[in-house]
Amino acid sequence: MARQGVSVHQFSLRIDEKDLGLFTQCTGLALSVEVDEVMDGGFNDSPVYLPHRIKYPPLVVARPISKDSPKWCKWVQESVRRKAKPLTGTVSCLSGDGTALATWNLVNVMPVAWRGPTLDARGGGVAMEEIEFVHGGFRPEITP
């Protein structure tokens, strides 16, 4: 049986049922386990590792600037001004035809930054916007 490669084109993001649209880049969808290293008496050849907690880096999504970019900048500003309310989110990795290949459900989501493009007329790159979120973890959605 031949293996097929999957070409990922876009990511969708929803925060509390608010559709933030499609993004071309998503970084920080990761976790790491902090461990305590313990030297058990009598066993001098290797330490014992005890899991301590799971850490999640900030999630950063990016896409080309559009006419809606100022709306998202304002949304981040307003999110900080309102009372802290735990938000939920969903990141979906989409195939070229828009089918969700994988989905992660985020908990305790809070937008913490919006970044616009570096304005440089000499560059030939695409003007991008980024939105950064902190969160309290995620659960992958397992499909049968």
Side-chain angles (χ1 to χ4, degrees):
M1 176 184 242
R3 292 178 52 158
Q4 284 186 305
V6 176
S7 177
V8 178
H9 297 282
Q10 294 181 324
F11 301 89
S12 67
L13 178 61
R14 297 183 74 80
I15 302 293
D16 268 2
E17 302 308 316
K18 184 172 190 64
D19 186 1
L20 273 69
L22 298 175
F23 294 84
T24 55
Q25 186 177 22
C26 177
T27 61
L29 192 58
L31 63 87
S32 61
V33 178
E34 288 184 346
V35 294
D36 291 328
E37 184 178 310
V38 178
M39 295 304 291
D40 199 4
F43 297 99
N44 297 325
D45 59 342
S46 66
V48 174
Y49 296 100
L50 302 174
H52 185 55
R53 67 178 178 175
I54 299 175
K55 291 181 67 173
Y56 300 93
L59 182 76
V60 179
V61 292
R63 64 181 162 204
I65 286 287
S66 73
K67 64 180 177 61
D68 289 334
S69 294
K71 174 177 78 171
W72 297 118
C73 178
K74 184 176 180 180
W75 177 78
V76 171
Q77 290 172 326
E78 290 173 352
S79 295
V80 175
R81 289 184 186 132
R82 69 177 179 251
K83 292 185 179 193
K85 173 188 167 221
L87 302 174
T88 59
T90 302
V91 175
S92 294
C93 177
L94 306 176
S95 68
D97 66 1
T99 304
L101 299 171
T103 299
W104 295 267
N105 297 310
L106 306 161
V107 295
N108 297 328
V109 180
M110 182 172 68
V112 294
W114 178 90
R115 286 182 282 280
T118 300
L119 302 175
D120 183 357
R122 297 173 297 163
V126 175
M128 301 289 285
E129 73 172 325
E130 293 181 343
I131 306 174
E132 182 175 338
F133 301 87
V134 292
H135 59 92
F138 56 82
R139 302 278 184 271
E141 217 173 83
I142 309 298
T143 55

